[in-house]
Amino acid sequence: MASVSKDNTWKLWATNVESEYDKEPCVLVSGSCMLNGQSALLSLSLDARVVAIATGNQLHVFSAAKGTREQFIRNQEQITRICFDPLGKQLIAASGPIINVFHNILGYSITIEDLEQAHRMATGISTKERIQKQIEETRCALNAILK
């Protein structure tokens, strides 16, 4: 779960708590964002790798792992809704009757980083081969977008 606050911060929370042990949700990552006194819209990708925050006509895209803003998009109109598609490959921003669809480039990049780390940690040959194929497929998809 993710939240954005008036103190110009956003947080990614661990919500897999066990109430019988009196555990509370805890913050995994926190980042800063300039709200400039405006209300904010927040969307978390389903794989929890990317956080998008819209304020006014600005769209900020953050790495959920690092807490850093990686992309900034200025829209002509005020953004009224944001969401990721179910596969996390696109970020959708609505501005009145206009809907903008952006490729989730940050999501692709983070996926590649995560797969490369998994490849380094893998011990079995078949596992390494499967992960290497996933890396190649994701790179190919990202390169097709960036052309």
Side-chain angles (χ1 to χ4, degrees):
M1 181 176 87
S3 65
V4 63
S5 303
K6 290 180 184 178
D7 66 354
N8 292 324
T9 62
W10 64 268
K11 294 176 175 64
L12 182 65
W13 298 83
T15 57
N16 57 338
V17 297
E18 298 176 31
S19 58
E20 60 201 50
Y21 297 112
D22 291 329
K23 287 191 172 185
E24 302 255 340
C26 64
V27 175
L28 296 173
V29 179
S30 183
S32 63
C33 59
M34 293 304 300
L35 301 178
N36 298 322
Q38 298 181 45
S39 61
L41 304 168
L42 181 141
S43 185
L44 175 64
S45 63
L46 291 179
D47 61 8
R49 289 181 170 139
V50 180
V51 174
I53 298 174
T55 57
N57 69 336
Q58 300 176 356
L59 183 59
H60 310 268
V61 184
F62 297 87
S63 163
K66 299 175 187 172
T68 55
R69 185 178 81 171
E70 302 292 332
Q71 292 175 303
F72 171 76
I73 300 166
R74 186 179 305 275
N75 200 27
Q76 290 185 357
E77 302 288 328
Q78 180 167 338
I79 299 168
T80 56
R81 299 256 193 281
I82 59 171
C83 68
F84 286 92
D85 77 297
L87 297 177
K89 300 200 181 291
Q90 297 172 324
L91 173 60
I92 297 106
S95 301
I98 299 169
I99 296 175
N100 294 297
V101 180
F102 303 100
H103 290 286
N104 183 7
I105 294 170
L106 179 58
Y108 281 97
S109 299
I110 293 171
T111 299
I112 292 168
E113 290 174 13
D114 290 349
L115 287 168
E116 287 173 340
Q117 181 177 1
H119 186 266
R120 286 189 296 276
M121 304 297 285
T123 55
I125 294 172
S126 61
T127 303
K128 281 187 173 278
E129 289 174 353
R130 179 180 48 81
I131 294 171
Q132 184 61 41
K133 184 176 180 188
Q134 290 175 323
I135 291 169
E136 291 167 6
E137 289 172 350
T138 306
R139 277 195 182 132
C140 183
L142 180 58
N143 289 336
I145 293 167
L146 296 176
K147 284 186 179 180

